[in-house]
């Protein structure tokens, strides 16, 4: 089969012919249809310090995908050839306290698809059956291809109640864009999106933001006044990994507010803890998706009218992977999808 492989330490990825993966008794073999490019894939492609610490080549990269079941192991009874599925990219241990209690997203021994095991940028991928999500009928395949980052968006957006609340979204990358639509769907009053990139600000408006600002030009206190807000933001979704964005969120929160932090900073961030204490804020880290409550929520919100398709801006054949990665890296893009059947 063809696969996109990090063949050796250093920048770049190679489209190579590799052996088709073999399945164990608990595994599902999936013919990949479409994949999404994540920031993680960009880190691995460019071989940044995180990738150097984390990745052991050779490795097939990628973790966001939709595809069709072609074969199942002898223990697998719930999946059948032809099922349209996506993969939960966090393969958990199944034995720790949290796994045994059903809180699998809290497993401390998670192995990442396309990070610690062969990924989905390939014609075929294998996952344990516990990591396979069978899509409900009627799903759009482009949307199904990005259930992994859509799940990051939903997990973060629903970390605190948003019905009737005023929500700040910092960072309108693909995940911030989807989260904007989710909090709007979930009944937020004002959704203020802060994003320096003009292309993404435009997309954020299409995703349902009440106000979109360039944080270099406008202060959030002024936006609050303009909207007639008096208490501050009830909920903030940190989706930039940027220190200034996190500090601006803290400075603009209402007392008792909640900040869900998904963005991954590249260095330590100094914060004024006094502000967190006296405003009685809750800061909550978010990693991955809840298995499978987040997947259920994604599915039913799509069925009740949530539309995340405007966040998908580019589509390529996997053969044009260099152009696809360039589009994802440019910043003038939302979600970038590669088709593995064309
Ligand atoms: P992205 O890098 O495409 O988006 C981040 C956005 O933040 C960019 O559009 C950037 O212009 C914007 N930004 C930069 N400085 C800003 C500032 N001062 N104020 C407001 N916005 C600012 O990333 P993404 O794919 O949308 O993911 C969002 C974040 O979540 C990233 O940090 C990513 O590493 C992280 N992430 C975390 C998890 C997890 O499980 N915790 C999973 C996936 C991604
Ligand atoms: Zn575990």
């Amino acid at each position: 089969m063809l696969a996109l492989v990090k063949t050796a330490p250093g920048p770049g990825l190679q489209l190579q012919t590799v052996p088709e993966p073999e399945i164990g008794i608990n595994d599902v073999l999936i013919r990949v249809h479409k994949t999404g490019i994540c920031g993680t894939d960009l880190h691995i492609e460019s071989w940044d310090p995180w990738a150097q610490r984390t990745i052991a080549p050779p490795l097939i990269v990628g973790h966001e995908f939709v595809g069709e079941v072609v074969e199942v192991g002898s223990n697998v009874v719930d999946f059948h050839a032809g099922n349209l599925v996506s993969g939960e990219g966090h393969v958990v241990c199944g034995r720790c306290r949290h796994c045994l209690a059903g809180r699998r997203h809290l497993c401390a021994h998670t192995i990442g698809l396309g990070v610690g095991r062969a990924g989905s940028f390939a014609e075929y991928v294998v996952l344990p059956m516990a990591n396979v999500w069978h899509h409900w009928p009627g799903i759009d395949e482009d949307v199904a291809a990005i259930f992994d980052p859509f799940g990051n968006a939903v997990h973060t957006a629903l970390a605190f109640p948003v019905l009737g609340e005023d929500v700040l979204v910092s960072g309108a990358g693909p995940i911030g864009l989807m989260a904007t639509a989710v909090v709007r769907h979930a009944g937020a009053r004002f959704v203020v999106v802060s994003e320096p990139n003009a292309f993404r600000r435009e997309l954020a408006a299409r995703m349902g933001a009440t106000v979109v600002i360039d944080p270099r030009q406008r202060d959030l206190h002024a936006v609050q006044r303009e909207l007639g807000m008096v208490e501050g933001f009830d909920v903030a979704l940190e989706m930039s990994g940027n220190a200034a964005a996190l500090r601006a969120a803290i400075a603009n929160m209402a007392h008792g507010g909640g900040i869900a932090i998904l963005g991954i900073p590249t260095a330590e961030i100094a914060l004024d803890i006094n502000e967190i204490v006296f405003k009685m804020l809750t800061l909550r880290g978010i990693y991955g998706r809840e298995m499978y409550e987040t997947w259920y929520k994604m599915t039913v919100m799509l069925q009740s009218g949530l539309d995340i398709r405007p966040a998908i801006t580019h589509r390529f054949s996997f053969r044009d992977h260099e152009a696809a990665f360039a589009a994802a890296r440019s910043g003038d893009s939302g979600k970038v999808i590669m088709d593995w059947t064309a």
Side-chain angles (χ1 to χ4, degrees), residues 69-85:
V69 174
V70 289
E71 197 185 333
V72 299
S74 56
N75 271 353
V76 180
V77 293
D78 291 336
F79 295 100
H80 306 282
N83 290 165
L84 191 72
V85 297

Side-chain angles (χ1 to χ4, degrees), residues 91-104:
V91 178
V92 299
C93 79
R95 290 177 201 90
C96 71
R97 172 191 176 171
H98 289 304
C99 281
L100 290 174
R103 298 184 293 263
R104 287 179 280 176

Side-chain angles (χ1 to χ4, degrees), residues 160-162 165-170 192 219-221 224 229-238 245-261 271-272 274-284:
F160 298 100
V162 293
E165 305 289 35
D166 296 334
V167 180
L168 170 65
V169 180
S170 303
V192 175
D219 175 65
L220 286 167
H221 289 102
Q224 287 199 49
M229 291 171 56
V230 287
E231 306 265 348
F233 290 95
D234 307 293
V235 175
L237 311 180
E238 200 327 279
L246 180 56
R247 291 197 196 97
I250 291 171
N252 281 273
M253 295 305 287
H255 281 214
I259 306 180
I261 306 177
L271 299 176
D272 180 358
N274 274 282
E275 229 175 339
I276 296 170
V277 171
F278 291 115
K279 284 184 171 172
M280 293 160 280
L281 302 179
T282 303
L283 273 63
R284 177 167 163 198

